[in-house]
Amino acid sequence: MAGLKVGRGAHAPAFLVMDVIAAANARAAAIPPGEPGILRMEVGQPGTGAPRGAAEAAIRALRDGHPMGYTEAFGLRSLRERIAARYRDHYGAAIPAERIAVTVGASGAFPLAFLSAFDTGDRVAMAAPYYPPYANILTALGMVPQLLPCDASTRFQPTVAMLEALDPRPAGLIVASPCNPAGTMLAPDELAAIARWCEAKGVRLISDEIYHGLSYGMAEETAAAHSASAIVVNSFSKYFSMTGWRVGWLVLPEDLVRPVERLAQNLFISAPHVAQVAAEAAMDCTEELEANRAAYRRSRDLLLAGLPAAGFDRIAAADGAFYIWADIGQLTNDSPAFCARMLAEAGIAATPGVDFDPGRGARFLRFSYCGPEADMAEAPERLRRWLRP
Ligand SMILES: Cc1ncc(COP(=O)(O)O)c(C=O)c1O
């Protein structure tokens, strides 16, 4: 065994939120019946499950004996056309179905995007805090994440001025609006300015639009409407509430369509066939999906009203997704220990910020509000009793 090589990818850091979920599961299992349960504010997935029409379409197809073989690497033609129609209807953007690639979730889209656009050693910029797999996948592929420390003054989002200051200029930029963990958005004109800057400077823009559909006031804009060279990532996991079905998509610039198709053929063959059938049907389930969104909005409003009195009064603008990013620097400089105590003593699970921002995350935490509304209504008072008894 001596001297056997272990590859660079084997050193990718764990996605720590998974450890927090495991700790909350263990704690929940140990609670005697009749005692108050754990309020789960660490999870980043809708509790609602796939819309009924999506599940029924999958059941129907299986009952009809559909063989569910591989699809083309870019997915079912009918689904790609449906996604293209969404760009027309939702954003007024004309995107031909040929530029849509159906992927194995947004997670499956990232390696396709990164490998087609960048080389080993290339720098790719992103705001910090950020969704950890961006940096971890880039690192595993030999690319170099370049963090742009952001704060509340820019809604935890990058600006053109920050990009101008980068020397050397990166090969790429990842933006997300709404973003995880901060739940903040870029205003449409800011996204447009960033997209124009990237195009003018030869920086490949990757726009993660996975939380589109879950915003509470600010207009959503797609980077595809402002740049012919941007790569857009999206998914059925969040608004469409279909995490485990593993279907996402890319909007590709013309120059990357064939390269990404070749990569997708080799890396994944195709996204799961039955899940693509369900995803297409989900696009007709607007009433159910809008009811989910309305519930998130009510949960968000309950937390924004109650958290300050509980001691969490430095919170990022909760523009979208289902996250609240709280600066807890006045309470701790060790967010993992703080979250562990909060779980043990208040029975509330939240995610420490270190996962999302290695530099400053020790004084931040992320509350997720995609759990049951009743839990979100109860959380502020429980926190208040814990912190201000
Ligand atoms: C910002 C962001 N991008 C991508 C993903 C991955 O989503 P998917 O389930 O589509 O792989 C997530 C999941 O939490 C996310 O928060």
Side-chain angles (χ1 to χ4, degrees), residues 44 104-107 110 131 134 180 208 210-211 235 237-238 243 246 323:
V104 183
S107 305
F110 292 133
Y131 174 62
Y134 300 150
N180 175 8
D208 182 352
I210 187 169
Y211 290 103
S235 169
S237 287
K238 308 295 175 170
T243 45
R246 311 308 304 133
Y323 304 116

Side-chain angles (χ1 to χ4, degrees), residues 46-343:
T48 38
R52 180 184 291 270
E56 279 169 358
I59 292 166
R60 214 167 31 246
L62 290 171
R63 197 177 286 135
D64 290 351
H66 194 301
M68 296 300 165
Y70 301 131
T71 66
E72 289 179 17
F74 270 5
L76 295 173
R77 180 77 204 180
S78 53
L79 175 57
R80 295 169 69 198
E81 278 169 3
R82 197 59 212 274
I83 293 169
R86 184 170 172 80
Y87 281 85
R88 188 191 58 225
D89 301 342
H90 199 70
Y91 308 101
I95 308 285
E98 289 68 30
R99 287 178 53 203
I100 310 282
V102 176
T103 58
V104 183
S107 305
F110 292 133
L112 296 173
F114 298 164
L115 285 166
S116 67
F118 309 123
D119 284 321
T120 305
D122 277 350
R123 292 164 173 277
V124 180
M126 68 193 75
Y130 55 90
Y131 174 62
Y134 300 150
N136 297 345
I137 297 171
L138 285 167
T139 305
L141 295 175
M143 295 149 193
V144 184
Q146 190 168 8
L147 302 184
L148 306 170
C150 293
D151 59 25
S153 67
T154 65
R155 283 184 132 76
F156 295 92
Q157 293 282 358
T159 62
V160 168
M162 284 179 207
L163 299 170
E164 273 296 345
L166 289 178
D167 184 20
R169 191 162 283 151
L173 168 71
I174 301 175
V175 295
S177 169
C179 70
N180 175 8
T184 55
M185 291 176 74
L186 284 162
D189 59 329
E190 289 166 336
L191 177 65
I194 287 175
R196 276 196 305 273
W197 183 89
C198 285
E199 197 147 272
K201 306 292 179 183
V203 174
R204 184 74 75 174
L205 175 62
I206 298 179
S207 178
D208 182 352
E209 300 178 359
I210 187 169
Y211 290 103
H212 276 208
L214 300 177
S215 61
Y216 313 105
M218 197 183 289
E220 293 173 358
E221 184 56 294
T222 176
H226 295 283
S227 165
S229 66
I231 301 174
V232 170
V233 178
N234 207 323
S235 169
F236 286 89
S237 287
K238 308 295 175 170
Y239 175 69
F240 294 98
S241 191
M242 295 177 67
T243 45
W245 296 74
R246 311 308 304 133
V247 191
W249 74 86
L250 284 160
V251 180
L252 292 165
E254 292 290 355
D255 62 327
L256 294 184
V257 169
R258 188 58 189 149
V260 169
E261 190 171 30
R262 288 194 299 262
L263 282 165
Q265 289 165 343
N266 284 289
L267 287 178
F268 301 112
I269 302 190
S270 75
H273 192 150
V274 69
Q276 294 187 53
V277 171
E280 192 173 330
M283 298 184 95
D284 288 324
C285 300
T286 310
E287 205 176 312
E288 191 177 335
L289 298 171
E290 285 301 312
N292 292 347
R293 189 229 294 252
Y296 294 140
R297 180 196 283 274
R298 289 193 297 272
S299 293
R300 165 190 176 272
D301 293 347
L302 286 167
L303 292 174
L304 290 180
L307 284 177
F312 298 88
D313 51 1
R314 291 146 78 179
I315 49 191
D319 298 320
F322 31 59
Y323 304 116
I324 287 180
W325 183 240
D327 182 341
I328 50 169
Q330 77 282 22
L331 301 170
T332 185
N333 57 9
D334 183 352
S335 59
F338 183 89
C339 287
R341 260 200 353 265
M342 195 164 88
L343 177 61

Side-chain angles (χ1 to χ4, degrees), residues 36-42 298-312 322 324 338 342-343 345-350 365-388:
I38 301 294
L39 305 184
R40 307 296 297 255
M41 302 181 75
E42 85 287 17
R298 289 193 297 272
S299 293
R300 165 190 176 272
D301 293 347
L302 286 167
L303 292 174
L304 290 180
L307 284 177
F312 298 88
F322 31 59
I324 287 180
F338 183 89
M342 195 164 88
L343 177 61
E345 297 167 11
I348 296 187
L365 65 72
R366 186 193 73 177
F367 287 115
S368 166
Y369 53 87
C370 58
E373 251 179 286
D375 288 6
M376 301 308 127
E378 188 183 339
E381 178 53 19
R382 256 206 218 186
L383 288 168
R384 194 200 57 73
R385 282 200 310 267
W386 177 55
L387 278 176
R388 298 178 166 171

